[in-house]
Amino acid sequence: MGEQQHVKFPQEVIDEYASLGVDLPALFSAGHLGNRMGVQIVEASAERVVGTMPVEGNTQPYGLLHGGASAVLAETLGSIGSMLHGGVSRIAVGVDLNCTHHRGVRSGLVTGVATPVHRGRSTATYEIVITDEQDKRVCSARLTCMLREIGEKDAGNVPAAGRLDGAGTDADA
């Protein structure tokens, strides 16, 4: 659950990261929390990120999809888009997340699609639409990420991204 399989990246992005020895599926994954929640990244580019998450295991006491679970899916997808926009020398740090929950979901799989609203030099904002299996909107979200240069203090937390010496570990991916 949560493993990155068959993620579709644009070829130019694959080439850019491969030249630095970076494993894209590890770098642009759902992370530890997303993995625990069953988030699957299906497609990833700076223009569009698609991911899914099961409702089962991610519900609140009334049996509905937890709003926080929708927020995790939204922030994961928007962050991946922001990271891809920022390139190999920057990291994306979420600074604002807004979620509006439209309807409850009790079972099945939800799908999130993140598309850019703004992609600048220092920030990126993505709209994330989460739908149920009947393509009904469950949640509308907006995420803004600050894009900052990778620094020395990031060395242990960024899996080789932005470091031209190739040092690094995927342990924290």
Side-chain angles (χ1 to χ4, degrees), residues 108-120:
L109 200 65
V110 292
T111 300
V113 178
T115 54
V117 174
H118 166 77
R119 290 185 293 169

Side-chain angles (χ1 to χ4, degrees), residues 58-67:
N58 294 313
T59 58
Q60 38 88 308
Y62 301 118
L64 298 170
L65 178 65
H66 196 291

Side-chain angles (χ1 to χ4, degrees), residues 39-116:
V39 173
Q40 295 276 324
I41 306 305
V42 177
E43 174 186 334
S45 73
E47 291 77 30
R48 177 179 156 98
V49 182
V50 179
T52 62
M53 181 179 66
V55 173
E56 183 180 347
N58 294 313
T59 58
Q60 38 88 308
Y62 301 118
L64 298 170
L65 178 65
H66 196 291
S70 294
V72 167
L73 178 60
E75 184 149 358
T76 298
L77 300 178
S79 292
I80 290 171
S82 296
M83 288 188 296
L84 286 167
H85 166 67
V88 296
S89 65
R90 295 186 186 153
I91 59 173
V93 180
V95 294
D96 183 63
L97 176 65
N98 175 285
C99 298
T100 301
H101 308 288
H102 304 292
R103 69 176 48 244
V105 181
R106 292 187 179 279
S107 63
L109 200 65
V110 292
T111 300
V113 178
T115 54

